[in-house]
Amino acid sequence: MRRRVVSIPLSPPPAEPEYPEYDQVRAEAVRRSAGPIDPQILPKMAIVAALRGRTWCTAVIGRAFAGVAHVPAVDAFMLLVADELDLVPPVPQRVAAAQRLLEDQRARDRARADQKREGERRRWELALSTCPVDITVRPNLKRQGVARDMPHAVAAVPVRSSRGVHPAGRALCEHKRSPRQLGEPIDGGVVTCQSCVRYVAEIRPMDAPRPPSPAERALLQLIATGVVFTLRHARSGPVVRVTTERSTGRAGGLGRSVNAAVLRLQAKGWAVPDEGQSATGTGSYGLRWRATEAGTAELEG
């Protein structure tokens, strides 16, 4: 079954003029629009509408003006008559109220857009402040729609992140299966690609060590507070424990065991034990663990 499209023309809303010459102008427009219309008059109508503006045209015909090509012939001739009489009528109250509502909505939209841009700028500056490599901002010219020209972050040298290796000169969010077509660098640009912003905050040079994970950072913070000790027990060998946290394992009364995790921090050069024993504050003695300068730097970073 073939689909049939039926167009039903809708009558324009009733006019609400706000000037006394409306009936005179409309009567003259009706007289001029009777019979065949001279094609040469159409460009004149468009010129009058363009020079006078949409607000003036709305005031003349007494309702919203959508353009010369979208109004009845009588309304279009009314523009010519009002222009010849040099009338400056007020906008209908209902249309003026609608225009005020539209302007208010546009003002709110502009305020929200400004707030969004300010938030994007702050997030970008915060991510860029801790980035150890040079970053340029370049637009993506390949995609269409809202993503077109979206600024992306591009590293000058190969870098690493939680995702892996990012080649130099390519967008940090780029995948091999969907390469970007990047434009020229934008001076003072702000990256709005959320993936690029996230990677800028965590990328590091290829030869730099991996930053501490959340669990490693939390353990470094415990070491910095001085509650991590290597303790001995009669039924077990030396074990690194957090003395402020008890566990149900063997010798759990001395503290929770973090032996393997602390030894990994030591292997990375982030923590070392004291040479002599000291009091734990819980009635026992052991070797206190301390963060090295590198560990403190990672903790502060």
Side-chain angles (χ1 to χ4, degrees), residues 176-263:
K176 291 183 179 180
R177 62 178 179 272
S178 58
R180 310 289 188 201
Q181 182 179 341
L182 300 175
E184 295 299 321
I186 304 174
D187 293 335
V190 175
V191 171
T192 56
C193 172
Q194 297 302 309
S195 296
C196 284
V197 174
R198 184 174 68 254
Y199 291 136
V200 164
E202 64 181 45
I203 59 175
R204 64 188 187 279
M206 297 293 291
D207 56 349
R210 182 184 296 273
S213 65
E216 291 174 333
R217 182 177 296 274
L219 186 53
L220 278 173
Q221 291 174 344
L222 288 175
I223 291 174
T225 59
V227 296
V228 179
F229 286 80
T230 296
L231 301 174
R232 290 181 178 275
H233 190 268
R235 292 180 295 176
S236 64
V239 177
V240 184
R241 299 180 181 274
V242 179
T243 58
T244 56
E245 302 177 13
R246 299 294 186 263
S247 71
T248 57
R250 177 178 294 182
L254 296 177
R256 178 172 61 90
S257 174
V258 289
N259 196 74
V262 171
L263 294 180

Side-chain angles (χ1 to χ4, degrees), residues 12 22 26 29 60-61 63 65 71-80:
Y22 175 80
R26 186 166 182 82
V60 169
I61 66 177
R63 52 176 167 261
F65 178 72
V71 296
V74 174
D75 290 353
F77 274 103
M78 288 183 66
L79 302 180
L80 293 180

Side-chain angles (χ1 to χ4, degrees), residues 105-118:
Q105 181 61 42
R106 288 175 177 173
R108 289 192 294 269
D109 292 342
R110 288 192 295 269
R112 282 194 293 266
D114 292 341
Q115 186 178 6
K116 179 181 178 182
R117 284 192 293 268
E118 179 64 18

